[in-house]
Amino acid sequence: MSDKKAQLTVDGKTFDLPVYSGTDGPDVIDVRGLSAEGVLTFDPGFMSTASCESQITYIDGEKGILLHRGYPIEQLAESSDYLETCFLLLHGELPTPEESKKFRDTVKNHTMIHDQMTHFFNGFRRDAHPMAIMCGVVGALSAFYHDTMDFSDQEHREIAAFRLMAKMPTIASMCYKYSMGQPFMYPRNDLNYAENFLHMMFGTPCEEYKVSKTLAKAMDRIFLLHADHEQNASTSTVRLAGSTGANPFACIASGIAALWGPAHGGANEAVLTMLEEIGDESRIPEFIAKAKDKDDPFRLMGFGHRVYRNFDPRAKVMRQTCNEVLEELGLEDDPLLKIAKKLEQIALEDEYFVKRKLYPNVDFYSGIILKAIGIPVSMFTVIFAMSRTIGWFANWNEMIGGSYRIGRPRQLYKGYTARDYPKK
Ligand code: CMC
């Protein structure tokens, strides 16, 4: 693969390690042979570990670049839409007009869920968090599509992809309707993907919901901007679960669980909770001081990113969409949104944040847009999960379609050495 070599000397013994170059990004040192030599590498948090080879998404965190199959996210947000981006992530190329039509039609053919699945919802408490419901219901899809599927067959994997893309908005909106005590709305295949989602969220059998084109466009952009993001915590979870040969619907459920935390997908919900807690512009300095205080666990939600040490390119697009949506809805004077704008301005100027390159991330703006559209806060991470499903699936598909081994990290053991059980 490469003539480059790295050398590692441990206790006087030198190992020659192959070094590989990708099409872009840092070189990687192949340490796979080390365990057989009785040496392990130590990298909690996987800051310096490339866990797989992939052709799907590329991020340059220093420069603030995000590419899907080579295309910059800004260009996709401007000229593409969510479903076309799904095709791109899955197949590696943009669709021809014929392929695009067939792809969209097939997604529409799968939007309904098996009627028996509605019974699952009744098992949840009325006040259950929609992420908890979604995690359970998506996992339950594996019970409906298990024995009939052969996932070593690319065609079967493709059907699973269609089922997921099509059914996630239906399931997501059902999670919301259940919590509201409203009847579930069936999908409408005359609407586009984002319009249909808004219809299922806000329509009722008594009254048709008139879908605003601007809001549907903003919704589609939120889906697109969250579609994939390389080997983040939830995608790595899906790959790890998939590496055992588990059912893909169960793997996606594991991704949903990993996404839920406030350090990952739960951040968009945490941003709104934080803004509500701040409550008034006069209290912003107090919260900025808390965020800087190392003895206080509080962090400014929606700021910072593990990979981006520059403006998150998705956040740039989202910021623009945010302004468009607020203008369309005449919400520029909303008190919470005013706090958000002020916070953004202060954090962008404050030395603590500037020095650490803690810019607003995609979730800072998506939370604000979703709130303006009228999506309840508890649904924010659900929408992230539904958008990211294609990224999880594309990564799972890439792994299953190639060569892979079960993921099995090791550890630096710091516990007791062997000792005898006390005699009785
Ligand atoms: N508020 C205050 N200080 C922060 C923040 C923040 N939001 N984020 C990082 N820092 C500080 C941190 O205390 C550390 O300071 P020091 O060097 O003095 O010890 C420095 O910045 C580096 O932080 P880190 O913890 O080493 O960074 P990380 O890469 O481990 O964490 C992060 C990344 C996203 C978990 C973190 O920035 C964070 O908790 N942000 C808030 C939650 C959030 O918005 N998450 C959404 C991420 S975007 C969506 C997604 O892709 O999932």
Side-chain angles (χ1 to χ4, degrees):
M1 241 169 152
S2 156
D3 293 337
K4 288 191 200 168
K5 290 258 178 296
Q7 278 198 334
L8 176 71
T9 304
V10 183
D11 261 351
K13 190 170 176 196
T14 298
F15 305 99
D16 282 326
L17 305 169
V19 175
Y20 310 134
S21 301
T23 42
D24 212 335
D27 286 350
V28 302
I29 303 168
D30 184 346
V31 295
R32 282 176 293 183
L34 284 180
S35 67
E37 304 284 348
V39 179
L40 300 178
T41 56
F42 184 59
D43 185 20
F46 310 117
M47 302 275 290
S48 302
T49 296
S51 63
C52 63
E53 199 180 299
S54 181
Q55 301 181 359
I56 303 170
T57 290
Y58 173 72
I59 300 175
D60 185 328
E62 289 300 325
K63 295 190 187 136
I65 291 172
L66 168 61
L67 310 176
H68 291 324
R69 303 285 189 181
Y71 294 109
I73 191 70
E74 297 86 347
Q75 292 180 24
L76 290 171
E78 178 66 32
S79 310
S80 184
D81 67 8
Y82 178 66
L83 279 186
E84 188 182 65
T85 303
C86 289
F87 184 101
L88 175 69
L89 289 168
L90 272 178
H91 298 288
E93 296 297 339
L94 289 167
T96 62
E98 296 74 37
E99 284 171 333
S100 177
K101 182 174 180 327
K102 192 170 166 219
F103 189 78
R104 286 169 202 273
D105 288 348
T106 313
V107 169
K108 282 185 178 173
N109 280 340
H110 286 282
T111 48
M112 280 202 297
I113 62 168
H114 194 295
D115 219 41
Q116 239 184 317
M117 286 203 74
T118 56
H119 300 309
F120 282 112
F121 286 84
N122 296 329
F124 288 96
R125 270 174 63 129
R126 184 140 320 288
D127 58 356
H129 195 288
M131 277 299 275
I133 303 181
M134 186 180 229
C135 206
V137 174
V138 172
L141 283 173
S142 55
F144 285 81
Y145 309 112
H146 187 70
D147 295 342
T148 50
M149 306 295 278
D150 169 11
F151 295 109
S152 62
D153 183 331
Q154 169 58 26
E155 263 183 52
H156 285 210
R157 296 204 295 276
E158 179 126 1
I159 297 169
F162 279 120
R163 287 192 169 129
L164 277 163
M165 279 180 287
K167 292 182 202 312
M168 285 305 267
T170 314
I171 292 173
S173 57
M174 287 171 85
C175 294
Y176 172 59
K177 288 298 195 191
Y178 183 75
S179 70
M180 295 291 288
Q182 290 183 3
F184 298 141
M185 293 296 286
Y186 281 114
R188 265 186 48 193
N189 290 350
D190 58 318
L191 300 175
N192 73 28
Y193 197 82
E195 288 169 351
N196 178 45
F197 176 64
L198 291 173
H199 147 75
M200 289 190 291
M201 280 289 292
F202 298 119
T204 69
C206 328
E207 215 168 316
E208 194 189 335
Y209 173 73
K210 297 244 174 334
V211 185
S212 145
K213 291 276 171 208
T214 312
L215 298 192
K217 195 174 152 224
M219 204 69 240
D220 191 82
R221 197 164 266 184
I222 288 181
F223 297 157
L224 188 153
L225 292 175
H226 284 94
D228 191 40
H229 212 230
E230 207 227 48
Q231 308 308 321
N232 53 78
S234 55
T235 304
S236 299
T237 302
V238 171
R239 277 192 182 252
L240 196 55
S243 76
T244 69
N247 177 289
F249 298 100
C251 297
I252 298 296
S254 75
I256 297 173
L259 185 78
W260 194 355
H264 193 8
N268 50 17
E269 179 174 341
V271 168
L272 259 287
T273 310
M274 175 188 76
L275 293 177
E276 272 159 11
E277 209 184 324
I278 296 175
D280 190 85
E281 280 184 50
S282 62
R283 294 190 65 203
I284 292 178
E286 181 194 324
F287 280 80
I288 296 268
K290 266 164 76 71
K292 292 183 194 174
D293 182 355
K294 292 289 158 215
D295 297 325
D296 191 324
F298 174 78
R299 283 187 165 199
L300 217 50
M301 286 295 127
F303 286 80
H305 198 276
R306 165 58 64 85
V307 181
Y308 294 117
R309 302 299 176 193
N310 201 321
F311 221 101
D312 177 342
R314 301 168 302 169
K316 271 191 202 158
V317 182
M318 207 66 105
R319 188 177 195 228
Q320 186 199 331
T321 309
C322 184
N323 290 333
E324 282 166 20
V325 169
L326 297 187
E327 202 186 297
E328 156 92 6
L329 295 172
L331 282 176
E332 295 101 324
D333 290 332
D334 182 278
L336 226 50
L337 303 176
K338 275 177 126 174
I339 295 174
K341 288 264 164 204
K342 189 84 189 158
L343 198 63
E344 175 201 27
Q345 184 200 337
I346 292 176
L348 285 174
E349 289 164 4
D350 189 292
E351 201 217 320
Y352 173 94
F353 292 90
V354 174
K355 203 172 125 210
R356 290 171 180 75
K357 300 182 177 170
L358 298 172
Y359 297 95
N361 57 49
V362 68
D363 285 332
F364 184 71
Y365 299 106
S366 67
I368 299 171
I369 301 173
L370 291 172
K371 162 141 182 18
I373 293 178
I375 307 272
V377 173
S378 61
M379 282 295 291
F380 288 9
T381 316
V382 168
I383 288 171
F384 191 162
M386 148 191 169
S387 319
R388 182 56 59 84
T389 294
I390 190 62
W392 293 330
F393 192 90
N395 273 276
W396 174 86
N397 187 42
E398 183 179 65
M399 182 183 75
I400 300 290
S403 64
Y404 64 98
R405 299 182 74 180
I406 184 171
R408 180 34 171 114
R410 302 293 299 275
Q411 63 176 5
L412 172 62
Y413 178 66
K414 288 281 198 174
Y416 287 110
T417 53
R419 53 181 177 157
D420 290 326
Y421 186 81
K423 286 201 171 61
K424 286 192 177 140

